Amino acid sequence: MSELKDMSKDELISKREEYLKTYNNYKEMGLKLDMSRGKPGAKQLDISNELLNGPRDFHTSGNYDVRNYGVLEGLSETREIFSQIFNLPSKNIIIGGNSALNLIYDTFARVYLFGALGSTPWCKLPKVKILCPVPGYDRHFSICEEFGAEMISVPLKGDGPDMDMVEKLAAEDEAVKGIICVPLYSNPTGEIYSDDVIDRLVKMKTAAEDFRIFWDNAYAIHHIYKENTIANIFEYAEKYNTQDRIYMFFSTSKVTFPGSGVAIIAASDNNIKEIMKRMSIQTIGYDKVTQLSFAKFFKNAENVKNHMKKHAAILKPKFDMVNEILDANFEDNKMCQWLKPDGGYFVTVYTKEGCAREIVRLAKEAGVVLTEAGATHPYHLNPKDDCFRLAPTYPYLEELKTAMEVISACIKLATVNKALETM
Amino acid sequence: MSELKDMSKDELISKREEYLKTYNNYKEMGLKLDMSRGKPGAKQLDISNELLNGPRDFHTSGNYDVRNYGVLEGLSETREIFSQIFNLPSKNIIIGGNSALNLIYDTFARVYLFGALGSTPWCKLPKVKILCPVPGYDRHFSICEEFGAEMISVPLKGDGPDMDMVEKLAAEDEAVKGIICVPLYSNPTGEIYSDDVIDRLVKMKTAAEDFRIFWDNAYAIHHIYKENTIANIFEYAEKYNTQDRIYMFFSTSKVTFPGSGVAIIAASDNNIKEIMKRMSIQTIGYDKVTQLSFAKFFKNAENVKNHMKKHAAILKPKFDMVNEILDANFEDNKMCQWLKPDGGYFVTVYTKEGCAREIVRLAKEAGVVLTEAGATHPYHLNPKDDCFRLAPTYPYLEELKTAMEVISACIKLATVNKALETM
């Protein structure tokens, strides 16, 4: 097929009729499919069902009764598993509740209300700016927006954010207080931060003494095609004595059950001390029954990693399907391009400029709900309106196939409409 | 026995020798007993063990799969049980995590960071004052202190706080932003707020338009000797259209397992709307597996209340024991007085002025850990140093008996020492 840009108006109109017909056929099917959020599918949940039987025994290996109050930092045997996964000392890991997002929010709340290691509380400052690699995770942006932080978009370049830009902004403006990012299988592009990027993040001069890296390592072990790793940011920071700059987050929401697992924050000795002090005012402790279930179910990091291979086996056909349908529809034209991540939960589709929102709207009209197109950018504003996120994990394979056909039809229709409109 | 105040110096010295001997005998036993916190004992935990088997089925009655993301406000069947317990519409109840204390903290964080229903964020104000009925709960005071609120002690009068004082402070000073209290079986006095007190709390004029009552209804169903109830504060508030003034908290930490149950916040339609909006930024949702376990285990409020009778049956002998030993030691003198609550988790002991800290110190030296004496007051400052809190629920009955004998010996020794010192 030739490209739309080479077609005459009549050819385009005839294409539009063809595409519209296909689209309308899908629309008439009355579909109801949701590809908006990164949710595991039912088969993925099933592999952890044994957890629901709970810990038949409620004592830790140290014979501690988890049914009562105490152990604010989390059970040592549970922390030990994360220590193995992340190659960090247990003492630098706190288990906090069921949600990494909640821990990120709470960490924002703490620096806003109380400052970081003695710095001025961010809520007392006239302006706080946070660097946001884009395309990025909408819930990160929502937290920044909620706290009134000004978000500065920094483009991702294939191996992490544009570090020249990050370094310049961090060095020159003391209102720039941090960066929030997903360093492995970045949501939604699947980006993998390079060693060089990670080195520069901990090495760079920052005008703010309390600059913080909100390191949302959400997909640290969520491989699909290939088991990539990133550098241990804490190890790198040791070289420059900037360990206090880092807050790392992770949860088991996509290891066991979303919202019913455990979440961790990892940080330097100084930060852990401060977090524990403030956390001891916030709560008597998090749910240790859940922590013990996790520890008894997995026992060690090796078993967690093997468990993740089962997830990968379920997810691979879904990501294959996305590629297959997009290939079949767009291989020989330039209506869109898409990324092929090695892991994580998303596929990012780049469209012709000004088409993404319309594609998402058309898909919704046809019963396929996608994440809002602007959601990949701060304030929901992607100036080029040229990308959207696919979350292919939740639907069954057959549903996903249909959804991808619908989306392909939407891409075609929106693109030809745009071509006609701008003729 | 005659009173110490009627004794001569020689008589007092001889008393001191007698008391010191008894005390030293206990000290030599090398005891290790903890009566510092309101923790359930092991037998209480056992009655909920069935919960640890988890929900064999992970679908709600509406066939919703609780293993995945979603349902921020909490499962409807779980909320329904609390709706029955508190006689409040389900729509006014949100389930949030495992800890009421954490919900109180988060509610403070929200009003400090974002204000309440459009008011100025409290962190932007030069001064925020919170009314604190005393004796009160140390963890409440810690939260106020953490947020930098100035705490104003208001004496409890037997049926709640001194309302003349509360009304005056709230009406005259717009920096007075709220009151934090436990209205039934108040921690630690066991106070029960009267209908009149509750009516005045919701009726009173407040200089601050965003005055808030942090209504920590922690012991709402935690009866021991008698099943007392308090007025439904939301119902009372309706008369004056002040429902937005109230945030109510509760958790199942002392119904099932401390820290592994569910916590709720109940509030007006306006407040619920605001909390949900902000909570949707904070988290994708709380642990629904735990929520479903709770709902399946109890099914309805009636069963929860019957469960609480089992707790009462375990706790009654412990509270009896406290009374018995204190009676045996102090019935015929005036060295101390103590309250006899109908429910809750604590016994408050009033001592001679200036003795409470010394009693707690002596007990600690003899291996019996009590809550620090000042903890019942803001900033750990009880100007009279005349009261401390007993938490008799955690030790086994025999341990408790020994602990109470030790504490009695400490009271005697400290009191005679004080009498000699002030002679």
Side-chain angles (χ1 to χ4, degrees), chain B residues 266-336:
Chain B
S268 68
D269 291 348
N270 289 334
N271 283 330
I272 289 286
K273 197 175 155 196
E274 179 173 53
I275 295 165
M276 283 296 294
K277 184 174 147 268
R278 302 221 173 269
M279 227 177 220
S280 75
I281 308 296
Q282 183 177 14
T283 183
I284 305 174
Y286 296 99
D287 188 332
K288 296 187 298 299
V289 167
T290 303
Q291 292 174 27
L292 187 63
S293 297
F294 180 85
K296 298 230 170 202
F297 182 58
F298 284 114
K299 294 179 187 71
N300 56 48
E302 198 54 35
N303 289 330
V304 177
K305 286 173 187 169
N306 287 333
H307 194 76
M308 295 314 290
K309 287 180 185 158
K310 296 183 196 169
H311 282 293
I314 298 167
L315 291 177
K316 189 175 168 295
K318 298 189 179 182
F319 282 80
D320 284 348
M321 175 68 76
V322 170
N323 282 322
E324 197 181 297
I325 308 282
L326 291 176
D327 267 343
N329 282 282
F330 304 108
E331 201 177 23
D332 61 352
N333 65 54
K334 287 185 177 165
M335 285 194 193
C336 71

Side-chain angles (χ1 to χ4, degrees), chain A residues 72-349:
Chain A
L72 179 57
E73 70 278 16
L75 299 180
S76 56
E77 56 211 275
T78 314
R79 290 158 76 211
E80 174 57 27
I81 295 175
F82 294 110
S83 163
Q84 292 168 15
I85 291 175
F86 291 104
N87 197 22
L88 291 172
S90 280
K91 70 177 170 59
N92 295 106
I93 295 171
I94 298 170
I95 302 180
N98 71 324
S99 153
L101 193 78
N102 202 149
L103 276 175
I104 297 173
Y105 179 99
D106 280 3
T107 307
F108 263 82
R110 270 193 298 271
V111 293
Y112 264 83
L113 287 163
F114 312 119
L117 299 176
S119 74
T120 306
W122 295 6
C123 73
K124 304 283 186 198
L125 300 171
K127 175 76 92 178
V128 167
K129 299 176 189 174
I130 301 288
L131 307 179
C132 298
V134 290
Y137 178 29
D138 54 352
R139 290 190 185 272
H140 284 171
F141 304 150
S142 297
I143 289 176
C144 293
E145 201 172 349
E146 178 84 342
F147 283 86
E150 183 183 316
M151 290 178 269
I152 302 178
S153 294
V154 178
L156 285 164
K157 298 190 71 175
D159 70 339
D162 180 336
M163 282 308 300
D164 291 342
M165 187 175 168
V166 168
E167 284 167 347
K168 192 168 150 48
L169 288 163
E172 290 179 0
D173 186 352
E174 66 170 359
V176 172
K177 287 289 193 181
I179 183 169
I180 185 163
C181 57
V182 181
L184 181 61
Y185 309 136
S186 179
N187 175 353
T189 63
E191 198 112 354
I192 301 167
Y193 284 28
S194 69
D195 294 353
D196 182 56
V197 161
I198 295 174
D199 190 62
R200 290 172 72 178
L201 278 170
V202 292
K203 184 185 186 178
M204 68 184 184
K205 294 258 180 305
T206 63
E209 49 154 11
D210 55 353
F211 185 96
R212 288 293 180 270
I213 300 170
F214 295 84
W215 199 244
D216 187 0
N217 210 347
Y219 304 107
I221 51 174
H222 301 57
H223 317 292
I224 300 172
Y225 292 100
K226 198 180 154 198
E227 300 201 356
N228 299 282
T229 53
I230 52 167
N232 183 333
I233 191 169
F234 290 100
E235 226 167 77
Y236 275 41
E238 260 178 49
K239 285 186 286 181
Y240 312 107
N241 202 22
T242 54
Q243 301 97 309
D244 293 344
R245 190 179 286 179
I246 310 153
Y247 298 125
M248 191 192 90
F249 306 92
F250 179 76
S251 89
T252 65
S253 274
K254 288 170 185 110
V255 177
T256 60
F257 302 130
S260 299
V262 293
I264 63 162
I265 178 168
S268 69
D269 291 347
N270 288 334
N271 283 330
I272 289 286
K273 197 175 156 196
E274 179 174 54
I275 294 165
M276 283 296 293
K277 184 175 147 268
R278 301 221 174 270
M279 226 177 219
S280 75
I281 308 296
Q282 183 178 13
T283 182
I284 306 174
Y286 295 99
D287 189 332
K288 295 187 300 298
V289 167
T290 302
Q291 292 174 25
L292 186 63
S293 298
F294 179 84
K296 298 231 170 202
F297 182 56
F298 283 115
K299 294 177 188 71
N300 56 47
E302 199 53 35
N303 289 330
V304 176
K305 286 174 187 169
N306 287 333
H307 194 74
M308 296 315 290
K309 287 180 185 158
K310 295 183 195 169
H311 282 293
I314 297 166
L315 290 177
K316 190 174 167 295
K318 297 188 180 183
F319 282 79
D320 284 347
M321 175 69 77
V322 169
N323 281 323
E324 195 181 300
I325 308 283
L326 290 177
D327 267 342
N329 281 284
F330 303 109
E331 201 177 23
D332 60 351
N333 64 54
K334 289 185 175 165
M335 285 192 192
C336 70
Q337 290 176 294
W338 60 100
L339 301 173
K340 294 177 181 173
D342 284 339
Y345 264 64
F346 304 102
V347 172
T348 298
V349 180

